[in-house]
Amino acid sequence: MKSFFEAIGSLFVDFLFKPFDWLRELELSNWWAANFISWIFIIICCAALLYWIKQLRIFKANNEDNQDTTAHSFLG
């Protein structure tokens, strides 16, 4: 049983975490390159937030937005 957990530990440390080790080493030489993926995720989240707000405005303008607390059957 001990070898099973050691195999799981080896899988993560020796294989799956290697990209994170590479990013950690890259950060010492170039911060922007190391955080490029983070910036991409931030841009995607901002775009999704703007799209969501746009859709909320469309529903509110068409009076399709039901803000009554009993709008869902499980609330009333």
Side-chain angles (χ1 to χ4, degrees), residues 2-60:
K2 181 180 178 184
S3 62
F4 174 73
F5 290 109
E6 287 176 353
I8 292 174
S10 174
L11 171 71
F12 279 92
V13 172
D14 297 335
F15 298 105
L16 298 179
F17 288 159
K18 284 297 180 189
F20 295 111
D21 292 338
W22 178 75
L23 283 173
R24 186 182 65 221
E25 293 172 7
L26 178 64
E27 185 179 15
L28 298 175
S29 62
N30 190 347
W31 182 88
W32 288 99
N35 289 297
F36 180 72
I37 295 174
S38 298
W39 287 106
I40 294 296
F41 284 136
I42 289 171
I43 291 169
I44 290 171
C45 288
C46 289
L49 181 67
L50 291 174
Y51 176 77
W52 182 36
I53 291 172
K54 177 185 166 195
Q55 292 298 315
L56 286 174
R57 287 183 181 170
I58 290 172
F59 279 101
K60 190 168 188 170

